[in-house]
Amino acid sequence: MNLNVCVVDRQKPSMGSTAASTAMLQWELDKSLTDLTDLYGFERAASIFHRSLAAANGLQAQIRGLGISCQFRPRSSLYLAANEISASDLLAEHRIRERAGLPGVYLDHRTLMSEFGIAREAAILSPGSSEADPVMLNRGFLDRAVERGARIFEGTVSLRNR
Ligand SMILES: Cc1cc2nc3c(=O)[nH]c(=O)nc-3n(C[C@H](O)[C@H](O)[C@H](O)COP(=O)(O)OP(=O)(O)OC[C@H]3O[C@@H](n4cnc5c(N)ncnc54)[C@H](O)[C@@H]3O)c2cc1C
């Protein structure tokens, strides 16, 4: 694809909300698969989760493929039981994720304590996420884009003039 690309930013790139990111590149969504299923039905909800997993995998592949130095580390994530999320809620979430073919294991209280020293009722341990320094990651992608002909301008775009 032969694209003519320019980036316009009123400040130094990466200094917006990217600099505030807590660096988690997680495929799990803010809403559980159980809640999404209530909203959209199982097939659509499972598809949303699979797209998120594919996006996380794709981003990891891009980082590796382009050789971007950004303190990238593969990580698993722990979805912990809390006041409003009981162990049985988590078990139901784990089962619906299994049905959707998503990776992860259910940890009961004893296993969670012995493996992680965390005193919660239960958790879901999921592989496939990662962390990276968001500013280094963003600048790495921008550097690669510039090497391929993209141009970066400092300035303000007024949407009203469009
Ligand atoms: C506290 C916090 C923690 C977060 N943690 C995570 C996390 O762990 N994992 C995760 O995936 N996401 C996280 N996020 C979300 C993530 O940081 C953002 O979704 C992401 O950085 C957005 O990138 P962006 O390039 O779209 O926006 P930004 O990084 O905000 O860049 C937008 C740029 O556009 C410029 N701009 C705006 N309007 C104009 C204009 N009219 N003309 C010219 N320039 C303009 C701004 O000045 C800015 O530099 C977090 C966000 C916050 C605030």
Side-chain angles (χ1 to χ4, degrees), residues 61-82:
Q62 290 269 0
I63 292 169
R64 291 195 175 102
L66 292 170
I68 292 175
S69 169
C70 57
Q71 297 178 358
F72 171 83
R73 289 185 199 91
R75 291 281 188 215
S76 295
S77 59
L78 270 179
Y79 179 14
L80 295 166

Side-chain angles (χ1 to χ4, degrees), residues 14-28:
S14 319
M15 289 296 107
S17 57
T18 296
S21 165
T22 43
M24 297 185 296
L25 304 174
Q26 249 183 295
W27 60 266
E28 285 175 292

